[in-house]
Structures are given as structure tokens and as C-alpha cells.
Amino acid sequence: MSEEAPPSPVMRPVFYDGCPGCAMERKLESSQGIPYKEFFFVGITTIASSLPISSLFPFLYFMIEDLHVAKKEQDIGLYAGFLGASYMIGRCFASLFWGVVAVADRIGRKPIIKFSILSVVIFNTLFGLSVKYWMAIATRFLLGALNGMLAPIKAYSIEVCRPEHQALGLSIVSTGWGIGLVVGPAIGGYFAQPAKQYPNIFSEKSIFGRFPYFLPCLCISLIALVVLISCIWLPETLHKHKNTEGEIEMIDNSRSTLEEDSHKQKSLYKNWPLISSIIAYCVFTLHDTAYSEIFSLWAVSDKRYGGLSFLSKEVGRVLAVAGAGLLVYQFFIYRSVHKFLGSINSSRIALALSIPILAAYPFMTHLSGLRLGIALYLGTILKGVLSITIITGTSLLQNNAVSQSQRGAANGISTTAMSFFKAIAPAGAGALFSWAQERQNAAFFPGDQMIFF
């Protein structure tokens, strides 16, 4: 009679006392639901970080004019371009530090998030008080350089939840980022030059009259300050002990480590799944940033140049509705889309569907009234939804291609590359728009048709 084989040992994870990463994993192991509180923190910190990025665009032209740096009116666009790009240039240079040194993988996610929000409070306020062009450039550059939150918040969003909720976590980051880029310009447009826009409330002799662009910056800084205070309750997720890559304990007290050992990790630059997803992410952010600038320019430009002749407040209304559509999609639809299609297929389909939507924009100039409103609102909502799908999908691919100890560095590399593409996108989009407006009567894709093509 053959002897029965001894039962295989049962394996379970080892949790170290005093380790915040282990505490979070222990909590996730015992909880099956969606971590609403942690996701709420992810959302509000992302929004607070992204609000100042594009908040200056509605008043940038007038700010350059008031700073008296341009010798002639035709030069205002040139100086405005430098000021508009200074944030992303600062982020591009500093991301080398945030990513290569991998600060978030060394000291934790929470300290970097708090430091980044603090930089928004300080330097965004100083930007609103700028009275010289060099001061405006310097504060925007430092604001971009010291705001290193995008990489750790992506890593954080998937470390506070179970694997089945990671798509939702990253979609909250993407949507929060998108909402910030929509609400920021709305704040800038409605609160800039308050003494001129609301003379019955603000006096020319008040601080808001002497510093006409301080009020929108102050509003954003106060929002960031509230978020900074709320970060007190933000839990840390980084492991603070060795062998963080899944050490397990067997019931016979012997120990083993998982196949991936923290000392034998693959170089990030040789990780093709990571690099390929970063390339796709960067190319799309170049497109999306250019689209954001061109859409605003196209909407406010005169109809004889192929635009819609919108006012800045009308553009803000369209963008606000698009932001509301993103919220609905994120909370009620995206999880089902990702569950059914996955990261790669959902991104591919979203990219394919973006093409006919973009191609339809030039023909909206032939509409008016209710038909124009329906077409424009529908187009911007769909474009925003598809953009969020692509950004979230590529972000998921990046984070799933590396282990936790490399996640901060991987997102840092991604942010560095993305910042470079976002820095050149506004200049390229502006040049393309100017060139397209000069060829309104061309036989092949005239004017705005060439832009969206």
C-alpha cells in the first residue's frame, strides 16, 4: 500500500508590524469593497494639483499685455507661449529627479503628495501677484518643477484597492486630472480682472484691482490648502522593510519568496511592456494637449476663419459640461467597459472612434442654434470620454508592467517623457492653427479642416 503524500504547506503573506504597506495590504485582504475614502482623497488631490496647469489660458493674453513686456501687439503671442509652456518645461526637468531618483519609492507616496500640494498653495499664489514677466515665468516654472505628484498618485491609486478595482482607481486619477484642466480655465475666465468684470463688487483700488489676476490664483490656492489639510488622514502605502515583493510564510514556519526578487528586478529601460505603453501614452498626451489648445482657439476665432465666434464664457460652459460628462462616465460606465474589453482593446477602440469625431468638428461651423449646441456638446463629451479611456488604459498598462518597488520610478519616467511632449504641444498647436487660418481657400483640406485632420 503506497504512502500518502504529505499535504502541501499552506502559504500566506507575512505582514510586518509598523509597516504602512503591510497595514494597507492587511486591510485590503479583509475588505472586499471599494475603498471610497481613499479614492476620494485620490480624486481631490489630483484635481487640486491639476487646477493651476491651464487656469491662466483665458487671461494669458491680457496678462502679457498688462506686464508691458511685448514691444508690439504681434509679439504678445510669442511671450504668452513662453509663459504658457514654462510650467511643463519645469515639470520636464524636475521629473528627471522625481523619476530617476524615485523619491516616492524611497520616502513614500504621502510626503510627495503633501509637498506637491504645498507647492501649489505657495507658487500659484505668487504667480497671481506677479508684476514682472520674469516673476511670472519663474513662479510657473517652479510650480511645475516642484509639483511631482502625478507619478506617485498613480501608484497610490492602485495600491489602496484590490486588483479588481485598480481600473476604477486609475480612472479617478485621469478624470480628476481632466476635471482640473476644465475647471481651472473656468475659474481663470470668470475671476480674472474682477474690477473690470464686476465693478460693483471689486474696486480698482483694492488688492484685486491692483493685481487683476490674483483672485483666480487665490481661489485655486485656497482649494489646494483645504486639500493639503485633508492629507493628514491620507494613509501611506509604501512598504518600509526589505523583501517587499511578496514574502510568504508557510505553516511549518519555513519562508520562501516569490519568483520576483527585489534584488533581481529587470531594468525599467529593458522592460518593453512598460516602454511601449509609455510611448503610446506620450504620443496621445501630445495629441490631447494640442487638441485642448486648438479647440479653445477654434471656438473663439471668427467664423470667416472657420471658427465659431464664441465668447470665452461660452467656451467655459462647453468645457464644464464635458467635465460633468466625464464624472458620469467614470463612476457609472468605465468599470464595465474595462471589464469587458480590457486596457488594450478599450484604448484601441477609443482611438479609432476619436478619428470620426475629430473629423466632424469643421462641419459644425455650418450649424447654428440648437443644432450647433447639440453637436458641439455631444462631440466634446465623447472626445473627453474617449481620451479618459485611452489615458487610463495606458496608465494601467504602465503600472501593471512593474512591481510596487519600481512603480514610482516607472511613473516618474512616464511623467518626464509626457511633460516633454506636453511642453512642445502648445507651441506646435499654435503654429499649426496660425498656418491653417492662412489657407482658408485651399483646395485640399482648407483652414480648420486641415487642423482637425
Side-chain angles (χ1 to χ4, degrees), residues 260 268 271 274 397-404 406-408 410:
E260 181 184 17
L268 291 177
N271 187 336
L274 171 66
L397 291 171
Q398 291 172 37
N399 282 275
N400 290 335
V402 295
S403 59
Q404 193 209 36
Q406 292 182 307
R407 205 166 278 151

Side-chain angles (χ1 to χ4, degrees), residues 29-71:
E29 195 175 68
S30 60
S31 175
Q32 300 290 329
I34 298 173
Y36 290 105
K37 186 180 77 170
E38 286 77 10
F39 279 173
F40 174 74
F41 282 127
V42 168
I44 61 172
T45 51
T46 305
I47 291 173
S49 177
S50 62
L51 278 175
I53 294 177
S54 55
S55 61
L56 78 164
F57 288 130
F59 60 79
L60 182 57
Y61 183 94
F62 306 105
M63 187 178 194
I64 298 297
E65 199 173 38
D66 290 344
L67 292 175
H68 305 293
V69 65
K71 294 182 179 179

Side-chain angles (χ1 to χ4, degrees), residues 275-289:
I275 297 301
S276 60
S277 59
I278 288 177
I279 292 172
Y281 178 70
C282 290
V283 171
F284 181 75
T285 55
L286 172 70
H287 155 84
D288 201 44
T289 305

Side-chain angles (χ1 to χ4, degrees), residues 250-313:
M250 302 182 187
I251 58 173
D252 61 355
N253 293 326
S254 63
R255 289 190 173 181
S256 173
T257 54
L258 293 180
E259 196 173 302
E260 181 184 17
D261 185 77
S262 59
H263 300 290
K264 298 178 181 179
Q265 289 175 349
K266 192 176 185 179
S267 169
L268 291 177
Y269 300 102
K270 295 179 180 179
N271 187 336
W272 175 241
L274 171 66
I275 297 301
S276 60
S277 59
I278 288 177
I279 292 172
Y281 178 70
C282 290
V283 171
F284 181 75
T285 55
L286 172 70
H287 155 84
D288 201 44
T289 305
Y291 163 79
S292 298
E293 177 170 338
I294 283 176
F295 175 80
S296 297
L297 292 173
W298 170 72
V300 300
S301 63
D302 196 275
K303 286 197 172 185
R304 57 198 173 99
Y305 294 116
L308 298 176
S309 297
F310 272 20
L311 300 174
S312 58
K313 289 186 178 181

